[in-house]
Amino acid sequence: MTASPERRRELLDTAAEVFAAQGYNATTVRKIADAAGMLAGSLYYHFDSKESMLDEILSAFLTELWEGYDTVLAAGLGPRETIEALVTESFREIDRHRAAVAIYQKESRTLSAQPRFHYLSDSQQKFEKAWLGTLERGVAAKAFRADLDIRLTYRFVRDTVWVAASWYRPGGQHSPEEIARQYLSMVLDGIALRPT
């Protein structure tokens, strides 16, 4: 017995919300089934384990994230425009996969030690290389200040953007693009008035 793609997506979305709220270790198949309004045994018709569900949630999120990032990185944009596009793409991913982003933030370090989730480490290294490379290119091109600590700047921007998954709710007052514009304004231009 296999679920329709729509039902499978619904179950994964429910599982993602439970994992995000309670953490991977505290989440049981029974808790996911309860949230989905079904018996725990019935969930096994669709997935063989909670690990399989989590793997599908995270790999789908990262596949989509990298499709967007790779498009940005291949576009030949200047460093500032690349940062702007990466931040905007990140907020779009938070909008589409808020629970998966929250899980990734909380669990990836622990999960990546397991062979099944080694791709999380690979993705993190690729992510770091893309952002650090763009920042370094920006400093070399004099688009960014020469006195920037590149690694510290990367961590600040990364954490500032991705922590938004803890408060962002899809369909809220601001679109992902509007939030990205505000964040970029603060990160790239600061919040203090410039003397005239």
Side-chain angles (χ1 to χ4, degrees):
M1 179 179 183
T2 58
S4 70
E6 296 79 19
R7 180 62 175 150
R8 188 175 182 83
R9 181 79 259 145
E10 286 172 15
L11 293 172
L12 287 171
D13 288 346
T14 299
E17 291 296 336
V18 177
F19 285 134
Q22 299 185 16
Y24 177 67
N25 289 331
T27 297
T28 62
V29 170
R30 180 179 299 280
K31 287 180 181 177
I32 295 168
D34 287 348
M38 63 194 309
L39 298 172
S42 299
L43 201 53
Y44 285 109
Y45 285 116
H46 307 289
F47 304 96
D48 64 5
S49 66
K50 74 173 189 174
E51 184 180 54
S52 292
M53 287 183 270
L54 185 62
D55 186 12
E56 200 165 326
I57 290 163
L58 291 175
S59 61
F61 154 61
L62 289 172
T63 296
E64 190 172 303
L65 174 74
W66 279 107
E67 286 171 1
Y69 271 24
D70 287 342
T71 299
V72 168
L73 295 169
L77 302 171
R80 181 180 175 118
E81 293 76 20
T82 300
I83 292 290
E84 290 171 346
L86 290 173
V87 167
T88 302
E89 191 59 37
S90 298
F91 277 105
R92 288 179 181 142
E93 286 305 310
I94 292 170
D95 183 61
R96 289 188 285 254
H97 298 285
R98 187 202 55 78
V101 172
I103 297 164
Y104 183 80
Q105 291 292 99
K106 293 178 196 170
E107 309 280 357
S108 63
R109 184 169 295 177
T110 305
L111 289 170
S112 61
Q114 299 176 33
R116 182 172 192 163
F117 292 99
H118 193 265
Y119 64 87
L120 297 175
S121 292
D122 296 341
S123 183
Q124 180 57 40
Q125 289 171 8
K126 186 178 174 185
F127 188 81
E128 189 170 307
K129 183 179 176 186
W131 284 80
L132 289 174
T134 303
L135 289 167
E136 288 166 355
R137 194 164 53 93
V139 170
K142 299 187 179 356
F144 303 139
R145 293 187 348 236
D147 65 335
L148 284 184
D149 179 313
I150 298 297
R151 190 161 291 278
L152 188 60
T153 304
Y154 156 69
R155 288 179 177 148
F156 172 77
V157 174
R158 176 197 65 193
D159 293 350
T160 301
V161 169
W162 291 111
V163 78
S166 66
W167 58 261
Y168 179 80
R169 293 297 172 264
Q173 182 179 357
H174 302 290
S175 72
E177 293 79 11
E178 289 171 318
I179 296 172
R181 275 194 298 277
Q182 287 289 323
Y183 267 59
L184 285 162
S185 172
M186 289 182 278
V187 168
L188 296 173
D189 302 322
I191 61 172
L193 283 172
R194 298 182 188 275
T196 55

